[in-house]
Amino acid sequence: MTTQNNYALHEQSFLSYVQTFLQKTSDPCLVLKKEHTFRVVNNTKRIIENLSLSDEDRYCAELTALYHDIGRFLQLQKYKTFLDKKSEDHANIAVRVLKKHAQFLKEPAFIQKKILSAIILHNKLILPEKLPSQYKDLCQIIRDADKVDILRVLSENFTNKLPEKEKVTLSVKDEPLLYSKHIFNAAMHKQAINYTDLVYANDFKILICAWIFDLNYSISIKMLKEQGHIQTILATLPKTKEIEEFKAFIFGALNAY
């Protein structure tokens, strides 16, 4: 059986799993995560088209994308939140789910290990410095593919009153003119910013726009530029001298591609 056929079986299995949650509630956040998953799969396919990977790693990259947020469904059902700090790390939940997931367990142990390693690291602030090379590409691919679509999701929720907005934006304070100086300074120095440090909606916007410096592949930045969501988010920030400096900083990186 080809990897394409194998992937199709995994997709059917994933959809069946998600359906067990959708049958119990019409929470728009569940639908959002389902749709997010397939956009991340599509982002992943576009990224790997531009890389020299083995067939095995291409297959693993697509399965990683398909399963990367499978823990979100159980997280939302059990804790009613997407905030890891108020529940559990959703990547850890994903690993537990997959270790009991019949279709996933049909894969050879070495394939399972590569995918689980990428999933457990997909949402971490930074990757380990001594990450083995056989895992590094998969981790970088899923992190880029995920970030590109999260920017889309947050752009839509920061500019519209959507039903899932509070959960998606992590309940930050919506004060249009306020932002935290330490968040601004960290972004201007290309430093990693933790979700737990966010206070205001503008902090969150600054964080996700600064992700442009944490992307691993030029195609990922090109995708951001094409989609226009980062430009939309920047336009919603307050018009202060500091923020105009930040916007120019981001646009400079964006327009380099």
Side-chain angles (χ1 to χ4, degrees), residues 103-120:
Q103 186 63 41
F104 183 75
L105 294 176
K106 292 178 182 178
E107 293 294 336
F110 71 94
I111 294 288
Q112 292 182 39
K113 185 175 181 180
K114 289 173 78 168
I115 294 168
L116 292 176
S117 297
I119 288 174
I120 203 70

Side-chain angles (χ1 to χ4, degrees), residues 97-199:
V97 169
L98 288 172
K99 285 183 175 180
K100 297 178 181 178
H101 194 70
Q103 186 63 41
F104 183 75
L105 294 176
K106 292 178 182 178
E107 293 294 336
F110 71 94
I111 294 288
Q112 292 182 39
K113 185 175 181 180
K114 289 173 78 168
I115 294 168
L116 292 176
S117 297
I119 288 174
I120 203 70
L121 292 171
H122 88 275
N123 66 329
K124 301 305 181 280
L125 190 61
I126 55 175
L127 291 176
E129 286 186 13
K130 296 183 179 180
L131 184 65
S133 58
Q134 65 264 39
Y135 304 125
K136 191 172 182 179
D137 278 339
L138 290 180
C139 290
Q140 291 180 333
I141 291 165
I142 186 58
R143 286 164 71 87
D144 275 25
D146 195 25
K147 283 183 171 72
V148 169
D149 193 64
I150 290 172
L151 268 156
R152 184 202 61 78
V153 171
L154 289 170
S155 171
E156 292 179 356
N157 277 275
F158 278 131
T159 55
N160 298 281
K161 293 184 177 179
L162 301 179
E164 68 269 18
K165 181 174 182 176
E166 185 174 353
K167 288 188 177 74
V168 169
T169 58
L170 308 183
S171 302
V172 288
K173 297 179 182 178
D174 193 5
E175 299 284 349
L177 299 179
L178 300 181
Y179 59 92
S180 301
K181 190 65 178 284
H182 69 281
I183 298 290
F184 168 81
N185 288 336
M188 292 298 291
H189 288 89
K190 302 182 183 180
Q191 296 170 348
I193 304 169
N194 203 312
Y195 286 137
T196 56
D197 294 332
L198 303 178
V199 178

Side-chain angles (χ1 to χ4, degrees), residues 59-76:
Y59 179 58
C60 287
E62 290 186 17
L63 288 187
T64 299
L66 181 68
Y67 288 129
H68 82 284
D69 262 359
I70 198 169
R72 286 296 198 186
F73 301 93
L74 190 59
Q75 180 187 42
L76 191 64

Side-chain angles (χ1 to χ4, degrees), residues 10-152:
H10 281 283
E11 187 173 291
Q12 291 169 14
S13 182
F14 171 78
L15 289 170
S16 294
Y17 177 81
V18 171
Q19 191 58 33
T20 63
F21 293 90
L22 292 173
Q23 287 172 348
K24 297 174 184 177
T25 176
S26 58
D27 191 325
C29 290
L30 293 178
V31 176
L32 172 72
K33 281 300 170 183
K34 175 184 172 183
E35 294 174 347
H36 165 71
T37 293
F38 288 105
R39 280 190 296 265
V40 173
V41 169
N42 289 333
N43 288 346
T44 295
K45 289 179 179 179
R46 186 164 176 197
I47 291 170
I48 63 179
E49 283 174 359
N50 290 266
L51 304 177
S52 297
L53 298 177
S54 67
D55 289 343
E56 178 186 301
D57 279 348
R58 289 173 180 272
Y59 179 58
C60 287
E62 290 186 17
L63 288 187
T64 299
L66 181 68
Y67 288 129
H68 82 284
D69 262 359
I70 198 169
R72 286 296 198 186
F73 301 93
L74 190 59
Q75 180 187 42
L76 191 64
Q77 181 188 70
K78 185 175 181 180
Y79 300 105
K80 314 300 182 190
T81 183
F82 284 147
L83 266 172
D84 287 359
K85 68 178 181 179
K86 289 188 176 180
S87 54
E88 293 181 72
D89 186 319
H90 70 278
N92 294 344
I93 301 174
V95 168
R96 289 205 310 272
V97 169
L98 288 172
K99 285 183 175 180
K100 297 178 181 178
H101 194 70
Q103 186 63 41
F104 183 75
L105 294 176
K106 292 178 182 178
E107 293 294 336
F110 71 94
I111 294 288
Q112 292 182 39
K113 185 175 181 180
K114 289 173 78 168
I115 294 168
L116 292 176
S117 297
I119 288 174
I120 203 70
L121 292 171
H122 88 275
N123 66 329
K124 301 305 181 280
L125 190 61
I126 55 175
L127 291 176
E129 286 186 13
K130 296 183 179 180
L131 184 65
S133 58
Q134 65 264 39
Y135 304 125
K136 191 172 182 179
D137 278 339
L138 290 180
C139 290
Q140 291 180 333
I141 291 165
I142 186 58
R143 286 164 71 87
D144 275 25
D146 195 25
K147 283 183 171 72
V148 169
D149 193 64
I150 290 172
L151 268 156
R152 184 202 61 78

